[in-house]
Amino acid sequence: MTTTDQAPPAETAPAAQIDPDKLMAFVFKAVGDVGATLSTALVVMGDKLGYYQSLADHGPSTPSELAERTGTSEPYAREWLSNQAAGDIVTYDGTRYTLPPEQAFALTDPASPAYLPGIFQLALGTVHDTEDILTAARDGDGRGWHQHGTDVHIGCERFFRTMYNAHLINEWLPALDGVVPKLQRGATVADVGCGHGASTILMAKAFPNSTFVGSDYHAESIETARQRAADAGVDDRVTFEVAPAASFSGNGFDLVTMFDCLHDMGDPVGAARHVRETIADDGTWLIVEPMAGDKVEDNLNPVGRLYYGFSTLLCTPASLSQEVGLALGTQAGPARIKDVTTTAGFGRFGTAAETPFNRVLEVRP
Ligand SMILES: C[S@@+](CC[C@H](N)C(=O)[O-])C[C@H]1O[C@@H](n2cnc3c(N)ncnc32)[C@H](O)[C@@H]1O
């Protein structure tokens, strides 16, 4: 900051009047927030120890029945069940605990469009790495995607795969002008920042005449993506490479996709320039970004709260860890994303689809 744009020194604030009702309302809101923080760890515990699956499979259970079936210690099952009942995840009839069908669908069925364990795992892994973010914030450093623990990588894939399963093939791709007929005939697709390749493999399964190249700078993610493609039987048409977005290989792509990764990049404009160089003249660039408005006040809601949390602890440090370090933030909003694409030489930009969590952008040369 130069001396000319320094804010004038704040005057000493007048002694504030404390309203006791507002104070207690804030304290009880904090109790809810702290309970939710702990519940995040307990949901991950229930997922990893198989508690939810066991409750879904066997119905109403006592703590000792749950402990025996899952090979865990009864006091843990007992306290966990009581926490889940207090948090309205299970119900309690005085003897047994029950996982209602809606909760079972959301917590145990990976094909459910509301499958939730991934976002809890991603959040817990993110919070777990907070200490390093404090250091980075003090030093003005970043922390790259590759520097996080596996709960972040696995949780991210599980969370996003749920949304892609629900929307990508049936809603988002058909919302793009002329893209589905090209994919049906046989198109070339670059899926950039593909992580574990959930989106790449989903598209490859839906469009057997098309070929796909997934890329990501994180080598371990690409290793997992290759294994997933082989398991899905699409590795004859899907290849993966370790490459930053500013230099993935190939050209003449009919479709370039970036799912929830543009804002994580240090140099999104450099990446956008590379997309411009490698996309066909009549190609389409699909960018999926977290739902956000252009102004902070547009995002002051539960979804914005969640995404600003990930932005502070995960996405902004990721961008700051790379060259340029633009730090767009998870809630950049469409105007800033448009800016990135037009600076790189793209002419057309629009929102093709939306969900409460995603903004789907169609960008054309
Ligand atoms: C939030 S994850 C999304 C992963 C994947 N697209 C998905 O939807 O599951 C962000 C991804 O962007 C990748 N990434 C970040 N910066 C990158 C860069 N400069 N070039 C390529 N990939 C990058 C990370 O490694 C990570 O896999």
Side-chain angles (χ1 to χ4, degrees):
M1 195 183 256
T2 63
T3 40
T4 48
D5 58 11
Q6 266 174 357
E11 285 173 22
T12 309
Q17 292 291 325
I18 301 292
D19 176 330
D21 291 338
K22 286 185 182 167
L23 178 63
M24 284 321 289
F26 180 60
V27 168
F28 277 103
K29 180 185 171 305
V31 169
D33 286 353
V34 176
T37 307
L38 291 165
S39 278
T40 298
L42 269 73
V43 170
V44 172
M45 182 177 177
D47 177 46
K48 290 189 177 180
L49 293 181
Y51 286 157
Y52 292 126
Q53 194 59 59
S54 183
L55 289 168
D57 291 345
H58 296 275
S61 305
T62 63
S64 63
E65 287 165 349
L66 180 64
E68 197 184 326
R69 289 200 305 264
T70 54
T72 58
S73 160
E74 193 270 347
Y76 285 93
R78 183 189 68 215
E79 297 306 305
W80 181 86
L81 279 166
S82 298
N83 164 277
Q84 299 288 291
D88 292 330
I89 296 180
V90 303
T91 58
Y92 180 53
D93 67 7
T95 308
R96 287 188 154 73
Y97 297 83
T98 300
L99 187 65
E102 294 76 17
Q103 275 85 331
F105 186 55
L107 290 166
T108 66
D109 184 349
S112 154
Y115 188 54
L116 290 173
I119 191 167
F120 283 99
Q121 187 177 4
L122 172 61
L124 186 65
T126 302
V127 168
H128 181 268
D129 296 338
T130 300
E131 200 57 39
D132 288 346
I133 301 303
L134 303 188
T135 309
R138 288 192 184 103
D139 299 346
D141 290 339
R143 185 183 171 96
W145 188 254
H146 60 285
Q147 293 171 295
H148 286 278
T150 50
D151 273 339
V152 166
H153 307 139
I154 294 172
C156 172
E157 193 266 351
R158 292 174 87 195
F159 170 46
F160 285 125
R161 177 161 33 97
T162 299
M163 290 195 279
Y164 307 152
N165 279 338
H167 304 288
L168 174 56
I169 305 301
N170 296 330
E171 293 166 30
W172 297 348
L173 291 174
L176 305 174
D177 188 21
V179 165
V180 167
K182 282 190 198 171
L183 288 166
Q184 285 166 337
R185 283 196 300 274
T188 53
V189 182
D191 189 10
V192 181
C194 67
H196 288 182
S199 50
T200 333
I201 293 165
L202 196 60
M203 290 189 288
K205 282 162 95 174
F207 300 103
N209 295 327
S210 291
T211 54
F212 299 81
V213 186
S215 60
D216 198 291
Y217 91 102
H218 183 222
E220 278 172 38
S221 287
I222 288 298
E223 225 174 278
T224 303
R226 285 188 180 127
Q227 189 54 52
R228 297 266 163 91
D231 293 347
V234 292
D235 51 341
D236 54 332
R237 293 177 294 108
V238 181
T239 51
F240 288 103
E241 67 168 343
V242 179
S247 62
F248 60 87
S249 60
N251 54 50
F253 290 107
D254 300 300
L255 176 65
V256 177
T257 55
M258 285 192 192
F259 293 94
D260 291 284
C261 60
L262 185 67
H263 64 271
D264 290 295
M265 294 174 189
D267 184 11
V269 175
R273 286 205 176 97
H274 189 62
V275 175
R276 184 64 193 88
E277 286 158 13
T278 56
I279 200 166
D281 286 342
D282 64 345
T284 300
W285 180 14
L286 166 66
I287 305 173
V288 178
E289 279 287 297
M291 174 48 86
D294 289 322
K295 301 197 295 283
V296 169
E297 47 273 43
D298 298 334
N299 306 321
L300 301 183
N301 53 58
V303 173
R305 183 189 190 199
L306 182 104
Y307 281 141
Y308 279 126
F310 283 125
S311 191
T312 310
L313 297 174
L314 193 58
C315 309
T316 299
S319 176
L320 288 171
S321 75
Q322 301 181 15
E323 270 180 42
V324 180
L326 189 64
L328 275 178
T330 309
Q331 295 284 270
R336 292 196 72 200
I337 305 290
K338 181 178 181 184
D339 235 29
V340 167
T341 66
T342 49
T343 306
F346 283 90
R348 287 174 282 172
F349 179 98
T351 294
E354 288 179 5
T355 76
F357 303 102
N358 313 97
R359 189 183 288 282
V360 179
L361 300 164
E362 179 175 20
V363 185
R364 314 262 333 238

